[in-house]
């Protein structure tokens, strides 16, 4: 019986971890899964040793403040490795913490599979070399990512993007309109501020102010706010109460909601690609602590922050960062996406090309097969 440890640190990683866990259980029903994650991984059969609900932090300053807690958590998970002796460790995104955990696992002789790997294509080959020297296998989700890691000597498998397996509605459009109590004759706009509290605090007010402006010129807009499992409901209610805007909150079935949405205002992150795959044009916004932004501007080697734009190799949807992320500008960029005109038609055509570049479906199963292969080779080696 294989023991496999998984580590995810944020809401998106929890979803990806859950998908891999389900695939592992399907292929090898008797494998034991444990580690760090959230409710989705728990529901998929992972024994959660540490729940990530209060974990997500962003930015240099914020991470520094959280270092003592993160070091304690790393030590706790290291102790779990000693006690349970996993046959493999799967680290999913959350690179600042997970690469430190991976180094601990390597010292203990535990093979590591990196899935949703650190964005070496953005940070440069130095980051890729560090990963290559630490992990046993990189399960690359972008073809250009696989190339970067391969060039520095990593053992890489291009598995394709998992969102191609995950992003799909569960109900017909007509049923979705009823489920969300939405009017099919009026535009639906999503507010997607992220899954971390800091993102909510920084970005949701900008989105609500922009939405208020749009509602003054476009009648009948219906606003929906999907809320990540990591965000307390009372926090959202307090923020919404400050605006005279009707915003409906949801917790689940986001892809069903996306299929009836005309556009979104979204924090930079995986959700922009999820929206793109559901043919929902987004206005991407982001604001960071000044020091974090300045360091990122200096270190990051790519011209765009939005995944659809990065994949396309050019800007196909608007990006508004730092001071450019003003409510008036957000509203101005959103309005053309709500009308059936030349702008919306072109964006939808560009998003279709983004989807084509992501490869074929089946990424999650390929990741699970890779994890089991690495774990079995390690188990056989131990037995020898």
């Amino acid at each position: 019986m294989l023991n496999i440890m998984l580590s995810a640190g944020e809401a998106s990683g929890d979803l990806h971890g859950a998908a891999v866990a389900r695939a592992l259980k399907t292929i090898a029903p008797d494998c034991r899964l444990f580690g760090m994650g959230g409710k989705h991984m728990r529901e998929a059969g992972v024994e959660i040793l540490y729940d990530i609900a209060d974990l997500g932090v962003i930015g240099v300053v914020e991470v520094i403040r959280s270092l003592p807690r993160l070091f304690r958590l790393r030590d706790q998970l290291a102790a779990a490795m000693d006690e349970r002796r996993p046959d493999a460790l799967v680290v999913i995104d959350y690179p600042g913490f997970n690469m430190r955990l991976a180094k601990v696992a390597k010292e203990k002789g535990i093979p590591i599979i990196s899935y949703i790997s650190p964005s070496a294509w953005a940070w440069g080959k130095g980051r890729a070399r560090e990963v290559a020297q630490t992990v046993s296998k990189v399960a690359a989700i972008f073809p250009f990512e696989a190339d970067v890691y391969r060039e520095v000597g990593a053992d890489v498998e291009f598995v394709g993007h998992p969102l191609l397996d995950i992003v799909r509605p569960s109900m017909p459009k007509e049923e979705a309109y009823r489920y969300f109590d939405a009017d099919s004759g009026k535009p639906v706009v999503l507010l997607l501020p992220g899954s971390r509290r800091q993102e909510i605090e920084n970005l949701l007010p900008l989105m609500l102010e922009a939405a208020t402006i749009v509602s003054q010129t476009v009648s009948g807009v219906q606003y929906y706010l999907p809320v990540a499992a990591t965000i307390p409901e009372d926090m959202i209610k307090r923020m919404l109460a400050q605006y005279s805007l009707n915003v409906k909150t949801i917790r689940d079935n986001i892809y069903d909601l996306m299929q009836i949405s005309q556009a979104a205002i979204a924090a930079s992150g995986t959700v922009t690609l999820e929206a793109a795959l559901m043919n929902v044009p987004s206005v991407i916004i982001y604001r960071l602590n000044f020091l974090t932004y300045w360091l990122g501007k200096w270190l990051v080697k790519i011209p765009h922050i939005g995944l659809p734009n990065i994949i396309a190799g050019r800007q196909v949807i608007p990006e508004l960062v730092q001071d450019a992320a003003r409510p008036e500008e957000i509203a101005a960029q959103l309005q053309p996406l709500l009308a059936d005109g030349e702008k919306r038609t072109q964006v939808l055509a560009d998003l279709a090309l983004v989807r084509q570049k992501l490869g074929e479906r089946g990424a999650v199963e390929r990741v699970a097969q890779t994890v089991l292969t690495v774990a079995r080779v390690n188990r056989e080696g131990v037995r020898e």
Side-chain angles (χ1 to χ4, degrees):
M1 182 183 297
L2 294 173
N3 292 324
I4 298 171
M5 185 174 186
L6 300 96
S7 177
E10 297 173 296
S12 60
D14 181 40
L15 286 169
H16 290 303
V20 172
R22 284 192 292 270
L24 288 169
K25 285 289 189 180
T26 298
I27 301 167
D30 63 343
C31 68
R32 292 176 178 170
L33 308 178
F34 65 94
M36 180 171 79
K39 76 164 191 172
H40 295 290
M41 287 172 64
R42 181 180 287 109
E43 291 169 356
V46 181
E47 180 188 352
I48 299 299
L49 305 182
Y50 184 90
D51 195 296
I52 63 172
D54 297 319
L55 188 59
V57 292
I58 54 174
V60 175
V61 174
E62 296 83 3
V63 169
I64 290 172
R65 289 173 181 163
S66 298
L67 279 177
R69 179 163 56 102
L70 293 173
F71 283 135
R72 287 194 299 271
L73 175 55
R74 181 198 60 186
D75 292 343
Q76 290 169 13
L77 294 176
M81 291 180 197
D82 291 333
E83 179 183 348
R84 300 181 181 226
R85 295 304 303 171
D87 297 296
L89 166 67
V90 186
V91 290
I92 305 164
D93 205 354
Y94 206 58
F97 177 85
N98 270 335
M99 289 313 300
R100 289 180 174 85
L101 186 66
K103 289 177 182 177
V104 172
K106 183 178 181 181
E107 291 173 358
K108 298 178 183 297
I110 300 167
I112 306 109
I113 300 93
S114 176
Y115 178 48
I116 320 293
S117 303
S119 305
W121 39 271
W123 294 90
K125 290 185 179 179
R127 188 74 174 273
R129 288 191 187 93
E130 179 186 357
V131 175
Q133 292 166 2
T134 304
V135 309
S136 311
K137 192 89 169 181
V138 174
I141 62 175
F142 299 113
F144 50 83
E145 173 187 52
D147 292 339
V148 171
Y149 277 113
R150 203 169 282 119
E151 286 174 10
V152 297
D155 184 354
V156 181
E157 180 181 353
F158 172 54
V159 296
H161 206 289
L163 290 184
L164 293 174
D165 295 312
I166 297 170
V167 177
R168 60 183 67 182
S170 65
M171 61 183 77
K173 265 192 174 184
E174 296 76 12
E175 186 179 341
Y177 276 112
R178 291 193 297 271
Y179 183 87
F180 294 108
D181 192 26
D183 186 337
S184 61
K186 297 176 181 178
V188 173
V189 173
L190 300 180
L191 306 180
L192 305 168
S195 60
R196 305 175 178 115
R197 294 190 185 203
Q198 291 166 263
E199 289 176 317
I200 304 295
E201 292 168 354
N202 290 341
L203 302 179
L204 184 55
L206 296 174
M207 294 180 177
L208 294 170
E209 290 173 32
T212 301
I213 294 171
V214 170
S215 291
Q216 292 169 358
T217 55
V218 182
S219 62
V221 181
Q222 304 166 96
Y223 294 103
Y224 285 81
L225 172 61
V227 181
T230 51
I231 304 300
E233 188 73 30
D234 59 348
M235 174 185 177
I236 297 297
K237 286 181 178 178
R238 284 197 303 271
M239 297 183 75
L240 292 180
Q242 299 176 43
Y243 298 84
S244 56
L245 192 70
N246 183 21
V247 179
K248 297 177 182 177
T249 61
I250 70 156
R251 286 282 184 177
D252 295 298
N253 298 91
I254 184 171
Y255 303 135
D256 293 301
L257 180 58
M258 282 183 174
Q259 76 166 324
I260 62 170
S261 300
Q262 277 65 55
I265 309 172
S268 176
T270 304
V271 74
T272 62
L273 187 53
E274 292 175 297
L277 293 177
M278 289 298 299
N279 295 316
V280 181
S282 300
V283 178
I284 299 174
I285 69 171
Y286 217 69
R287 277 189 182 179
L288 291 166
N289 170 282
F290 175 77
L291 175 60
T292 301
Y293 174 72
W294 183 84
L295 286 172
K297 188 95 172 156
W298 181 58
L299 292 170
V300 173
K301 312 296 182 183
I302 53 175
H304 304 295
I305 65 166
L307 281 172
N309 294 335
I310 293 168
I311 294 165
R314 58 189 172 86
Q315 183 164 308
V316 298
I317 52 178
E319 296 182 356
L320 301 173
V321 184
Q322 294 300 97
D323 293 341
R326 302 185 307 275
E328 299 82 5
E329 184 61 23
I330 297 169
Q333 294 289 345
L334 178 66
Q335 285 186 226
L337 300 179
L338 299 178
D340 291 326
E342 182 179 346
K343 175 67 174 177
R344 179 177 175 82
T345 300
Q346 182 59 55
V347 170
L348 290 176
D350 289 337
L351 295 183
L353 291 175
V354 168
R355 185 185 185 98
Q356 289 178 16
K357 289 191 173 188
L358 291 178
E360 301 295 329
R361 289 179 176 173
V364 173
E365 183 177 347
R366 287 190 284 272
V367 172
Q369 292 283 11
T370 297
V371 170
L372 290 171
T373 298
V374 171
R376 284 167 179 155
V377 168
N378 180 55
R379 172 66 68 92
E380 291 168 4
V382 169
R383 285 178 178 172
E384 292 174 2

